[in-house]
Amino acid sequence: MPQTRLQNIVYTIIMAIIMVYGMIVYNVALSTGGVSNATFFMALHELPIMAPIAMILEYFIVEKLATKLAFTVVRPTDRPQIITYAISTMIVCIMCPTMSLIATLLFKEPSFGTWVQTWGLNMPTALIWQLLFAGPLTRLIFRAIFRKQLAESAAKH
């Protein structure tokens, strides 16, 4: 996990891109009636808009709030993996309705009902995508990028 501000910024960028792209692909598939090769290219059109929004929200607001909420359920002495899952779950619980609202306002016919439907359809997918794919893939990429720094840090402790 990130230990410096730079590492945290890089981690947030990787996570936001993977998470947002996956969710855009899902939403494009919903709106077009299925997944085709074109779905993956169509999703790239929204990525430059939605990824920076997610990065800013995550880095400046959601990470801190989600961590506080997670520690109402887990303890600092719990296994690190359990803490990671708790924080990731809380991040999805905050980001999913927020990003669904933003996507509704930007790309759909904005209404309360459309937002609630978008949020409802996105929530289970976002949670599964985060816990089983985006989270592990982000941590794998992060560890590969910062292998040397993480090893040095571990040696000091």
Side-chain angles (χ1 to χ4, degrees), residues 4-112:
T4 67
R5 180 173 285 166
L6 173 64
Q7 289 177 0
N8 196 25
I9 291 169
V10 171
Y11 185 88
T12 300
I13 291 168
I14 297 166
M15 178 64 78
I17 291 170
I18 293 171
M19 194 68 197
V20 168
Y21 182 69
M23 292 308 297
I24 295 170
V25 167
Y26 172 70
N27 279 278
V28 168
L30 286 177
S31 68
T32 61
V35 178
S36 69
N37 290 341
T39 306
F40 297 95
F41 295 108
M42 291 166 49
L44 291 173
H45 295 292
E46 292 179 25
L47 189 62
I49 298 164
M50 297 301 282
I53 293 169
M55 289 174 204
I56 291 166
L57 280 171
E58 168 71 22
Y59 186 79
F60 291 106
I61 299 168
V62 174
E63 180 185 352
K64 293 168 189 66
L65 180 58
T67 300
K68 286 181 185 177
L69 288 171
F71 280 106
T72 66
V73 179
V74 297
R75 295 178 304 271
T77 55
D78 286 337
R79 290 179 34 214
Q81 187 174 12
I82 299 300
I83 293 170
T84 298
Y85 293 152
I87 293 170
S88 294
T89 299
M90 294 302 171
I91 288 171
V92 170
C93 287
I94 298 166
M95 289 294 283
C96 187
T98 306
M99 294 300 289
S100 293
L101 176 61
I102 293 166
T104 298
L105 294 172
L106 293 177
F107 305 111
K108 297 183 176 194
E109 188 72 35
S111 72
F112 180 74

